[in-house]
Amino acid sequence: MRRFVYPVNLTSTSSSDKTESLSFDDYNKIVSVAWVGKSENNLDVELRTHNGKKPIVDFVPIEFLKLGSDRTELELNHPIENNQIKIKLSHGGGAVKGSLVFTMEK
């Protein structure tokens, strides 16, 4: 198993959407995902398959994935193709700083 970190640092005052492909070397299974950081409940995240056709995690507030206060990582145990996923961030404005942490398995 290995952890991959996707840093998120947004400070815009306006709303925006961002879609990006994430690669995980030769790891092809997402075991779990978690958020470590601070937001003002102003960021939603969606995880989709590498081609964007199927959702892995539909849009959820980033705080849903936050560690701490009796919360653990969101367990997915989801195989992925091409060792990639698409991540879409929908930002409502304001400060967001932290990281999404993916636990991956071969």
Side-chain angles (χ1 to χ4, degrees):
M1 278 206 259
R2 181 173 167 200
R3 292 189 192 269
F4 289 82
V5 176
Y6 176 75
V8 178
N9 188 5
L10 304 169
T11 57
S12 172
T13 57
S14 60
S15 299
S16 64
D17 288 347
K18 176 182 175 182
T19 302
E20 195 171 335
S21 290
L22 301 181
S23 295
F24 299 104
D25 296 337
D26 58 343
Y27 292 81
N28 59 6
K29 182 179 179 183
I30 298 177
V31 176
S32 62
V33 62
W35 167 250
V36 179
K38 183 181 178 201
S39 77
E40 299 167 356
N41 273 337
N42 55 358
L43 183 67
D44 293 335
V45 64
E46 179 182 42
L47 305 178
R48 299 187 75 80
T49 55
H50 77 288
N51 58 11
K53 292 187 177 182
K54 294 181 184 175
I56 298 170
V57 174
D58 223 346
F59 271 112
V60 295
I62 197 80
E63 295 296 322
F64 179 77
L65 304 174
K66 188 169 185 170
L67 286 178
S69 300
D70 296 329
R71 290 185 183 173
T72 60
E73 296 171 305
L74 176 62
E75 301 240 354
L76 298 174
N77 293 314
H78 193 282
I80 59 172
E81 294 178 35
N82 296 342
N83 305 329
Q84 293 182 333
I85 63 168
K86 291 228 186 263
I87 182 170
K88 183 172 183 180
L89 302 176
S90 182
H91 182 225
V96 178
K97 185 169 182 155
S99 296
L100 283 166
V101 180
F102 296 91
T103 303
M104 304 297 294
E105 190 174 80
K106 289 185 180 187

